[in-house]
């Protein structure tokens, strides 16, 4: 998609149009430069036998990239902040050099002037703010990439109608529609580039991933949709006294302006304040994880941005009441289709019961593995991982001999590289929600063990699944009968193949190792020839310019062979 298709429609000479084009080009230049850098260091140098240079410079390169992106995001704002937020939450796949640099990005977004906010809000509501509110703070409670929120007090008549006076006025940043359009056009272009990199395209459909991000971003700048999400979330937890949601003032809400109840309380990551209120941070972590599991595995409608700024702990106000978790900011929500939800439940149950083969099967059902993947090796690796590390929390893992973890990690990493993993569509928000949940729980209690939350929840799921036990047993019995009926035919076919010498015995790992040795041998010969020819040419050229030049030019042949071999995989 071109910039003209995605950005705000402006005349070629228009100043705003020129700013849009400049923004678009800056994002593409940044992406192109760093993709080329990663291609050279992570793909080309290892193919030339220079893996040590790649490994020695990796931490420094990651830090340099993160700082450069940090500066770009703060300067440009818009969706670049959202991209940085997502990268900072991917502690599972991105190195700490990146996540640590970007984790505070949201807090550094500069605020819009209140005069501009007032102008937009009054235009949207159709009345002066003094008609709706008795007071509006000019200093924002929070300034996000797409909008900002201000504390306010409702006018007396409106407060009497809705039942509360303290409110939050949330207003979009002026011109954010055009900025989002330009950013999405640039991200689509970058996604198209990355889809041509085989290492990336095998694992994830980048254009689909960008479109999922685009859909979420466009939903975030529709405050009517956010208000509807809040109401739906409240209905899902209507019977759960431990979860709170702010009331929406629908009479004073539009696509660009949202007015809702002020439910500000203790920030979920404020451990000192929680303890001062007599609330155990460990219990908060357990409840938070359980509530997030409910959203993902039971309701299929979940808060996809549960960072500490969007979740409060509200202390009890009446005797006999309990504290509750109060969620805000329902602009980024995700849905889990019924089929995917069932597969995710199986994934959780398999993890809780330390069932390696069951976990791999659930991964296949979820779509993480391609249907034709050979998973025998992965099942063995997962079984060994569960046997050694299953049930350990982060604190316990820190006490394990690093060499042992490295050995397991190396084994599992080899398995991943040899199997066709992929990131299914609609998984971007699920991964974000799970990553943030884990991070918040660890911040509440460094010794928090996620298994403590997973196991009781999985046991509940198992009890729910037992209702289908008879049906499942009947289905399995039918499969056994079908297998027994087909057994004589299959045995006869095997015997016939033995008689005809057509039995093939496969050892996938041995075959892979042999192929690697063959490729390594060819590369070694090419590297050696390249080195000998280039050095010999350099030495002979001062005495015999023609011969030296010929040797140096000839050295290009083994170099090209290396490059062509790399392109062929």
């Amino acid at each position: 998609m071109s910039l003209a298709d995605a950005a705000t429609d402006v005349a070629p000479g228009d100043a705003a149009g020129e700013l849009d084009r400049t923004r678009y080009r800056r994002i593409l230049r940044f992406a192109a430069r760093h993709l080329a850098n990663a291609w050279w260091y992570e793909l080309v140098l290892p193919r030339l036998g220079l893996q040590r240079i790649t490994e020695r410079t990796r931490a420094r390169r990651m830090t340099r990239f993160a700082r450069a992106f940090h500066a770009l995001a703060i300067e440009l704002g818009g969706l670049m902040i959202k991209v940085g937020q997502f990268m900072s939450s991917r502690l599972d796949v991105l190195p700490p050099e990146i996540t640590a640099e970007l984790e505070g990005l949201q807090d550094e977004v500069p605020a819009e002037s209140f005069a501009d906010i007032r102008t937009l809000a009054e235009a949207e509501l159709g009345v002066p703010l003094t008609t709706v509110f008795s007071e509006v703070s000019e200093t924002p409670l929070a300034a996000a990439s797409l909008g900002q929120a201000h504390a306010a007090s409702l006018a007396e008549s409106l407060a009497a109608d809705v039942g509360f006076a303290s409110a939050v006025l949330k207003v979009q940043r002026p011109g954010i529609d055009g900025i989002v359009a330009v950013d999405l056009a640039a991200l689509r272009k970058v996604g198209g580039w990355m889809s041509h990199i085989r290492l990336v395209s095998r694992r994830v459909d980048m254009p689909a991933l960008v479109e999922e991000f685009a859909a979420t971003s466009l939903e975030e700048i529709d405050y009517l949709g956010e208000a509807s999400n809040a109401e739906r979330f409240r209905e899902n937890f209507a019977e759960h006294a431990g979860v709170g949601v702010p009331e929406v003032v629908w009479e004073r809400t539009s696509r660009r302006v949202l007015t809702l109840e002020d439910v500000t309380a203790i920030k979920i990551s404020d451990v000192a304040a929680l303890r001062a209120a007599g609330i155990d941070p460990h219990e908060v972590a357990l409840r938070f994880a359980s509530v997030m599991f409910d959203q993902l595995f039971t309701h299929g409608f979940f808060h996809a941005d549960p960072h500490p700024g969007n979740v409060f702990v509200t202390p009890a106000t009446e005797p006999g009441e309990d504290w509750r978790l109060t969620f805000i900011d329902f602009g980024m929500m995700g849905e889990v289709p019924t089929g995917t939800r069932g597969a995710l439940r199986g994934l959780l149950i398999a993890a809780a019961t330390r069932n390696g083969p069951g976990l791999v099967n659930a991964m296949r059902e979820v779509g993480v593995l391609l249907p034709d993947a050979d998973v025998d090796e992965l099942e063995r690796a997962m079984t060994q991982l569960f046997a050694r590390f299953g049930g350990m929390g982060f604190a316990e893992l820190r006490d394990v001999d690093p060499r042992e973890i490295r050995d397991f990690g190396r084994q599992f990493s080899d398995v991943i590289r040899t199997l066709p993993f992929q990131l299914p569509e609609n998984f971007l928000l699920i991964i974000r929600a799970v990553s943030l949940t884990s991070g918040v729980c660890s911040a509440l209690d460094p010794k928090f063990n996620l298994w403590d939350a997973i196991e009781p929840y999985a046991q509940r799921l198992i009890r729910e699944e037992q209702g289908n036990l008879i049906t499942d047993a009947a289905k399995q019995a039918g499969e056994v009968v079908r297998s027994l009926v087909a057994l004589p035919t299959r045995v006869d076919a095997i015997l016939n193949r033995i008689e005809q010498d057509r039995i093939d015995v496969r050892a996938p790992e041995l075959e892979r190792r042999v192929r690697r040795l063959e490729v390594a041998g060819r590369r070694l010969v090419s590297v050696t020839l390249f080195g000998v020819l280039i050095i010999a040419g350099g030495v002979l050229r001062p005495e015999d310019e023609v011969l030296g030049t010929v040797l140096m030019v000839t050295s290009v042949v083994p170099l090209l062979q290396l490059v062509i071999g790399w392109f062929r995989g």
Side-chain angles (χ1 to χ4, degrees):
M1 177 180 288
S2 67
L3 176 61
D5 295 330
T8 307
D9 187 20
V10 293
D14 191 284
E18 184 57 36
L19 288 175
D20 287 344
R21 285 186 286 274
T22 300
R23 180 186 184 90
Y24 178 81
R25 287 193 292 266
R26 282 203 62 191
I27 295 171
L28 292 189
R29 279 199 302 270
F30 180 90
R33 185 167 64 252
H34 287 281
L35 281 174
N37 182 280
W39 174 81
W40 175 255
Y41 278 97
E42 300 294 337
L43 295 177
V44 175
L45 291 185
R47 300 278 183 175
L48 297 175
L50 301 174
Q51 179 75 25
R52 288 184 179 179
I53 295 178
T54 297
E55 294 174 353
R56 190 171 63 247
T57 61
R58 183 175 289 128
R60 185 169 66 251
R61 288 185 288 108
M62 293 297 102
T63 300
R64 191 162 57 239
F65 163 76
R67 287 176 179 167
F69 185 86
H70 189 140
L72 180 78
I74 291 297
E75 181 183 350
L76 296 184
L79 293 186
M80 295 301 100
I81 299 289
K82 288 288 178 186
V83 173
Q85 275 185 297
F86 177 72
M87 287 195 290
S88 71
S89 69
R90 293 310 309 274
L91 303 175
D92 52 337
V93 295
L94 292 178
E97 291 84 5
I98 291 179
T99 57
E101 178 67 30
L102 299 178
E103 65 181 354
L105 195 56
Q106 182 67 48
D107 298 330
E108 301 176 48
V109 181
E112 294 282 347
S113 73
F114 183 71
D116 292 339
I117 291 295
R118 176 191 287 275
T119 300
L120 190 151
E122 290 182 342
E124 281 290 307
L125 297 177
V127 295
L129 287 186
T130 52
T131 303
V132 182
F133 305 98
S134 61
E135 182 183 0
V136 178
S137 172
E138 295 190 8
T139 303
L141 290 170
S145 55
L146 306 181
Q148 61 192 52
H150 294 259
S153 297
L154 297 177
E156 188 175 343
S157 58
L158 183 56
D161 289 341
V162 299
F164 56 86
S166 296
V168 171
L169 174 65
K170 188 173 178 180
V171 185
Q172 278 184 21
R173 288 178 178 268
I176 195 63
D177 287 342
I179 290 173
V180 167
V182 173
D183 289 357
L184 288 178
L187 289 174
R188 287 182 175 113
K189 189 73 171 179
V190 175
W193 291 346
M194 296 183 71
S195 69
H196 295 295
I197 302 173
R198 193 178 64 172
L199 185 65
V200 174
S201 63
R202 286 187 64 201
R203 265 56 177 185
V204 60
D205 183 345
M206 278 304 299
L209 195 66
V210 171
E211 289 308 318
E212 184 181 350
F213 181 76
T216 302
S217 302
L218 293 173
E219 287 172 4
E220 281 197 81
I221 55 175
D222 179 5
Y223 286 169
L224 288 173
E226 180 175 343
S228 298
N229 289 340
E231 295 291 337
R232 180 177 172 185
F233 192 90
R234 180 202 311 284
E235 291 173 5
N236 286 345
F237 287 94
E239 304 300 321
H240 197 312
V243 177
V245 180
E247 295 276 357
V248 176
V249 183
W250 284 99
E251 302 93 321
R252 298 304 179 189
T253 293
S254 70
R255 195 180 76 83
R256 295 183 178 183
V257 175
L258 175 61
T259 307
L260 66 165
E261 179 186 9
D262 185 357
V263 292
T264 305
I266 302 172
K267 193 174 180 179
I268 192 171
S269 59
D270 193 341
V271 174
L274 290 173
R275 290 201 174 105
I279 300 172
D280 183 0
H282 182 75
E283 291 300 318
V284 174
L286 284 174
R287 182 179 296 182
F288 178 63
S290 179
V291 169
M292 291 303 299
F293 290 158
D294 275 337
Q295 295 172 46
L296 286 163
F297 303 117
T298 301
H299 302 299
F301 181 69
F302 62 94
H303 199 303
D305 197 22
H307 63 75
N310 284 340
V311 187
F312 295 114
V313 178
T314 306
T317 55
E318 299 290 338
E321 283 188 355
D322 193 10
W323 56 270
R324 66 180 183 274
L325 291 171
T326 303
F327 289 79
I328 64 169
D329 194 352
F330 297 91
M332 188 186 294
M333 304 295 290
E335 293 201 49
V336 185
T338 304
T340 304
R341 201 183 318 160
L344 285 175
R345 288 162 70 103
L347 196 69
L348 188 72
I349 291 171
T353 55
R354 321 289 201 273
N355 182 353
L359 184 67
V360 173
N361 186 57
M363 290 167 66
R364 189 197 294 275
E365 290 184 15
V366 168
V368 175
L369 296 176
L370 293 175
D372 60 347
D374 181 2
V375 296
D376 291 342
E377 219 175 329
L378 180 58
E379 286 184 1
R380 286 195 296 273
M382 292 304 299
T383 300
Q384 291 180 37
L385 284 169
F386 275 135
R388 180 63 186 91
F389 303 117
M392 286 188 178
F394 291 118
E396 294 171 292
L397 285 172
R398 281 197 292 267
D399 296 332
V400 176
D401 186 342
R403 290 172 298 181
E404 188 174 0
I405 294 180
R406 252 195 323 270
D407 290 342
F408 270 89
R410 192 177 298 114
Q411 177 189 5
F412 193 52
S413 179
D414 288 343
V415 170
I416 290 176
R417 281 197 297 270
T418 57
L419 285 174
F421 280 84
Q422 62 178 355
L423 181 64
E425 288 186 38
N426 304 320
F427 252 59
L428 181 66
L429 295 182
I430 294 175
I431 291 171
R432 176 176 175 78
V434 172
S435 298
L436 287 172
T437 299
S438 177
V440 169
C441 290
S442 296
L444 283 164
D445 181 3
K447 295 183 179 179
F448 180 79
N449 189 338
L450 195 59
W451 296 102
D452 293 341
I454 288 177
E455 288 182 335
Y457 194 84
Q459 291 300 323
R460 195 181 92 191
L461 292 181
I462 290 171
R463 287 194 297 271
E464 291 175 3
E465 297 291 337
Q466 284 175 347
N468 299 322
L469 188 59
I470 295 177
T471 303
D472 291 342
K475 187 185 297 182
Q476 290 180 11
E479 291 175 357
V480 170
V481 170
R482 283 193 294 273
S483 297
L484 289 173
V485 169
L487 187 58
T489 303
R490 295 179 66 183
V491 170
D492 186 57
I494 290 172
L495 291 174
N496 286 335
R497 294 184 68 180
I498 291 174
E499 291 173 356
Q500 298 170 20
D501 292 329
R502 289 193 298 113
I503 286 289
D504 295 325
V505 178
R506 293 190 305 162
E509 179 59 26
L510 181 59
E511 291 172 3
R512 278 194 292 271
R513 290 178 184 274
V514 170
R515 282 198 297 272
R516 287 176 189 167
L517 286 173
E518 291 173 350
V519 171
R522 287 196 296 270
R523 287 176 186 160
L524 181 60
V525 170
S526 298
V527 169
T528 303
L529 282 174
F530 171 71
V532 168
L533 290 171
I534 196 74
I535 292 171
V539 171
L540 293 174
R541 198 165 187 271
E543 298 180 6
D544 190 335
E545 185 174 352
V546 175
L547 179 58
T549 302
V550 169
L551 290 174
M552 293 179 73
V553 171
T554 307
S555 71
V556 173
V557 175
L559 180 62
L560 285 175
Q561 186 180 18
L562 276 172
V563 175
I564 292 170
W566 176 80
F567 274 113
R568 290 179 176 175

